Amino acid sequence: MTSEKNGHKFIINNLEVFYGDFRALKGINMVIKANAITSIIGPSGCGKSTFLRAFNRMNDLVPNTSTKGQIEKDALDIQMLDVAELRKSVGMIFQRPNPFPKSIFDNVAYGPRAHGIKAINQLEEIVECSLRQAVLWDEVKDTLHKSALALSGGQQQRLCIARALAVNPDVLLMDEPASALDPIASLKIEELIQELKQTLTVIIVTHNMQQAARASDYTAFFNMDDDRAGYLVEYDITAKVFTNPEKRLTEDYISGRFG
Amino acid sequence: MTSTETGSIISLAKTNKNYKLNKITQYFGYALVWACGFAAIAAVFWILGYVLSQGFQVINYEFLFTRPAGGVSGEGGISTTVVSTVYLVVLTLVIATPLGVGAAVYLVEYAGDAVKESKLVAFLVQAARMGVEILAGVPSIVFGLFGFSLFVLYLKFGFSLLSASLSGAALILPTIIRTSEEALLTVPRSYREGSLSLGATRWHTIYSVVLPTAMPGIVTGIVLSVGRIIAETAIFWVTLGGSFYLPQSIRHSGRSLALHVYMLASETRAFDKAMGTAAILILTIIVLNLTINLVSRRLTKHISGKV
Ligand SMILES: Nc1ncnc2c1ncn2[C@@H]1O[C@H](COP(=O)(O)OP(=O)(O)OP(=O)(O)O)[C@@H](O)[C@H]1O
Ligand SMILES: [Mg+2]
């Protein structure tokens, strides 16, 4: 189900996430636009990763977490969806590249195989297509059966993107995907994200203000209260947030006065 | 930095005597450590050399390929005991490996969630963990007595490969569970998250990523257990019996190599044959250890992808 341009991919209603008794996020209300790049910025510990992990219910894996409120994806409550289906359509890229200790081919084919695709020619097709989309194909096409762990960090991260694309998601969540990489590899990832926007909704957490300003359509600024609960301060078109923010706090943060 | 270095050199020069003394103590320490290491290694090689050289005096084609003749003379060879040992090892592993690895997978991958669900499960899991710890330290003869009373007598399996491998499995289960558990715990969480984030199920994640990554550790545990089964005597004395005929089925008695050494040494005059058998036993264990090293290094390399 691909949303039409300018459609709403996610609608977030009063989201709260708890780790045990600790409230990490409170009262989040947001609409995430389809086929756009939304970046999440904010000081360390304000709940950006927690927020991101709410979209594919990865928080469910952490013992004692609970979620209040609601996230709707394409007008369906994600709590009502089958979690495997949800995660298939909402891919995730982690801060540190985490390829499996398998061959490049097996890494990309992992998701399709997990969802029951067995025919080798079909898998080959998916692998090539995904690696091309992740702009990695030319670098690895002759070494598909070599271990993924032998790749450089930047290549590994692009491999992880290819791996996520192989199950044909319509959303990609990225948690500081370039922070462990050198500037050139980081730039490549950034270009790649621009490409992906054609077909995907991208939500990206970043610490890099320039990156957010340069590469995203919308920016959400999170901060935390005295009780350390994260909340949404400001959310708007990126150009607006960076040039003419509503709130004083936002201005202070993007100009580097705190955080 | 440099100024403190210079400072320390000056103070060293001042306490030149101390320095020399330190140096002497140092050399003395080295010498002591060396001597200890050398003595230990020499002792091991001496034992090995002695057993092997004594043993090889009786090892020949006939010794390897005829069965023991029985009786106090200790005539005959070891053919059937070699075969019995292989049967015993294979059967024990067939029983213990799935149980042990399965238990470890449960403890590492599932118990955490189950524990949250109910107090009773939490208690049972805790008890299981403690049980494994305790069993790992129990002398093998206790497993033997347990196997004797349960399998041999109560379940009427008699002295048999079946009784022996069930008891042997009980003996090595703690080792397999613990080594597998440790191996599973070293699998990075990011692999599990990576797999789950693609929409793979829990089981698929365990089966396709977690277990293969943990495999070198699991294999090491299994091979250690093989060594244990080959080396144990008491437990099989009371469960396997000691028949020197070739076991025709799992309900038949048999005699493992270690058991044969024990029986030759304690019940016959054929001390030379006991040495011969012991030499074979030692060789087997050496080969086994080399294989562990090789296999786990290969597997690790294969998995970490440095091939
Ligand atoms: N598994 C967890 N258990 C308990 N508390 C957690 C857990 N994960 C995160 N937290 C807490 O929740 C809050 C938000 O964490 P989160 O990782 O979402 O922050 P973040 O904005 O991503 O920070 P950073 O920029 O450093 O990555 C922090 O106070 C953190 O200590
Ligand atoms: Mg984070």
Side-chain angles (χ1 to χ4, degrees):
Chain A
M1 215 209 274
T2 41
S3 298
E4 62 280 27
K5 267 242 179 294
N6 298 326
H8 296 168
K9 182 49 79 176
F10 290 105
I11 299 175
I12 302 144
N13 256 323
N14 229 344
L15 179 74
E16 315 221 311
V17 180
F18 295 81
Y19 292 108
D21 293 331
F22 169 62
R23 183 162 66 166
L25 283 175
K26 64 178 181 190
I28 313 281
N29 290 292
M30 264 173 99
V31 171
I32 306 272
K33 291 274 170 53
N35 293 88
I37 302 171
T38 303
S39 59
I40 314 286
I41 58 173
S44 186
C46 71
K48 303 181 296 295
S49 299
T50 307
F51 179 64
L52 206 63
R53 292 162 62 93
F55 289 97
N56 60 350
R57 288 172 57 189
M58 287 302 268
N59 287 329
D60 295 7
L61 301 175
V62 182
N64 296 322
T65 48
S66 54
T67 304
K68 289 203 183 116
Q70 195 187 37
I71 298 182
E72 276 179 15
K73 174 172 184 281
D74 298 317
L76 294 171
D77 183 351
I78 62 166
Q79 290 297 329
M80 299 298 148
L81 299 175
D82 174 48
V83 69
E85 282 302 313
L86 172 70
R87 289 185 187 148
K88 187 169 169 245
S89 69
V90 182
M92 184 165 229
I93 308 300
F94 299 81
Q95 182 167 3
R96 301 209 150 272
N98 61 345
F100 303 131
K102 298 174 181 288
S103 72
I104 294 171
F105 184 93
D106 287 341
N107 262 280
V108 184
Y110 184 89
R113 279 185 175 135
H115 295 287
I117 296 177
K118 290 201 183 73
I120 188 73
N121 52 347
Q122 205 179 345
L123 288 172
E124 278 169 353
E125 200 177 304
I126 295 174
V127 167
E128 176 170 352
C129 176
S130 311
L131 284 169
R132 279 188 192 284
Q133 264 184 289
V135 205
L136 189 60
W137 175 252
D138 290 331
E139 287 158 71
V140 301
K141 61 173 185 256
D142 300 321
T143 53
L144 286 180
H145 295 284
K146 288 249 170 78
S147 168
L149 302 187
L151 297 174
S152 74
Q155 289 174 322
Q156 288 189 4
Q157 195 61 302
R158 277 178 284 145
L159 179 68
C160 291
I161 293 174
R163 184 176 70 184
L165 294 176
V167 292
N168 204 13
D170 55 1
V171 178
L172 215 49
L173 308 171
M174 305 180 133
D175 196 347
E176 303 183 43
S179 66
L181 308 178
D182 65 77
I184 293 175
S186 163
L187 207 64
K188 273 196 177 163
I189 300 278
E190 212 176 287
E191 284 167 13
L192 173 56
I193 296 169
Q194 291 300 325
E195 286 295 314
L196 296 175
K197 181 178 129 177
Q198 315 286 330
T199 47
L200 292 163
T201 304
V202 178
I203 309 178
I204 179 170
V205 170
T206 178
H207 265 135
N208 183 333
M209 289 306 118
Q210 284 93 353
Q211 193 182 41
R214 191 165 56 215
S216 68
D217 303 306
Y218 299 89
T219 297
F221 170 53
F222 282 64
N223 192 21
M224 55 186 159
D225 253 347
D226 299 334
D227 61 352
R228 286 173 53 233
Y231 66 100
L232 179 64
V233 179
E234 185 160 355
Y235 175 41
D236 213 322
I237 295 171
T238 297
K240 173 93 168 44
V241 172
F242 278 91
T243 55
N244 185 20
E246 282 304 287
K247 304 254 168 67
R248 183 67 195 276
L249 207 57
T250 316
E251 198 179 333
D252 286 351
Y253 183 74
I254 54 183
S255 58
R257 257 170 284 198
F258 83 100
Chain B
M1 267 302 136
T2 28
S3 73
T4 45
E5 254 167 45
T6 336
S8 66
I9 287 168
I10 291 167
S11 73
L12 262 184
K14 275 182 191 157
T15 55
N16 205 280
K17 252 191 195 159
N18 242 337
Y19 176 67
K20 264 191 182 151
L21 199 68
N22 272 342
K23 225 173 176 182
I24 290 168
T25 334
Q26 183 114 314
Y27 279 132
F28 190 70
Y30 271 138
L32 202 69
V33 174
W34 251 95
C36 288
F38 187 76
I41 293 167
V44 169
F45 274 94
W46 187 63
I47 295 170
L48 278 180
Y50 181 74
V51 174
L52 289 179
S53 67
Q54 292 277 307
F56 272 95
Q57 289 169 14
V58 297
I59 295 175
N60 53 32
Y61 183 83
E62 197 198 331
F63 179 75
L64 291 175
F65 291 99
T66 54
R67 68 167 172 77
V72 284
S73 66
E75 287 302 307
I78 58 167
S79 66
T80 53
T81 64
V82 172
V83 178
S84 288
T85 307
V86 173
Y87 284 171
L88 182 64
V89 166
V90 170
L91 202 56
T92 308
L93 286 187
V94 165
I95 298 166
T97 309
L99 282 177
V101 176
V105 167
Y106 176 77
L107 286 174
V108 175
E109 306 289 332
Y110 291 100
D113 290 350
V115 163
K116 275 188 298 169
E117 311 263 297
S118 96
K119 281 249 157 65
L120 179 68
V121 176
F123 173 77
L124 288 177
V125 166
Q126 194 61 31
R129 281 232 161 81
M130 210 147 93
V132 171
E133 290 293 313
I134 293 169
L135 284 182
V138 168
S140 71
I141 185 63
V142 176
F143 285 96
L145 291 177
F146 163 77
F148 177 71
S149 51
L150 179 63
F151 304 127
V152 176
L153 298 181
Y154 183 73
L155 294 173
K156 300 200 174 61
F157 294 159
F159 291 116
S160 63
L161 273 175
L162 183 61
S163 301
S165 38
L166 285 168
S167 314
L171 175 74
I172 62 171
L173 257 179
T175 313
I176 295 194
I177 294 177
R178 279 171 60 170
T179 48
S180 305
E181 220 183 330
E182 273 160 33
L184 290 168
L185 284 171
T186 60
V187 177
R189 222 180 72 171
S190 66
Y191 290 176
R192 295 185 177 86
E193 290 197 329
S195 171
L196 293 169
S197 78
L198 290 164
T201 58
R202 197 92 170 265
W203 172 241
H204 189 89
T205 302
I206 292 169
Y207 177 83
S208 321
V209 178
V210 178
L211 277 178
T213 312
M215 201 46 83
I218 295 176
V219 169
T220 306
I222 291 172
V223 183
L224 281 175
S225 308
V226 171
R228 187 103 195 260
I229 295 299
I230 292 178
E232 280 298 339
T233 313
I235 180 173
F236 299 128
W237 174 237
V238 292
T239 53
L240 186 59
S243 162
F244 47 78
Y245 293 104
L246 193 69
Q248 299 298 320
S249 78
I250 57 170
R251 299 300 300 272
H252 280 76
S253 169
R255 188 188 286 193
S256 71
L257 276 168
L259 196 49
H260 189 51
V261 176
Y262 173 71
M263 292 171 84
L264 283 177
S266 63
E267 296 172 5
T268 73
R269 290 185 296 266
F271 198 71
D272 55 336
K273 297 256 162 122
M275 277 296 188
T277 316
I280 298 288
L281 202 57
I282 286 180
L283 281 181
T284 315
I285 289 175
I286 291 174
V287 169
L288 197 68
N289 273 305
L290 293 179
T291 325
I292 307 184
N293 268 323
L294 203 77
V295 167
S296 76
R297 222 177 289 166
R298 275 275 168 81
L299 273 177
T300 315
K301 254 195 199 162
H302 181 75
I303 280 170
S304 64
K306 310 252 160 58
V307 258

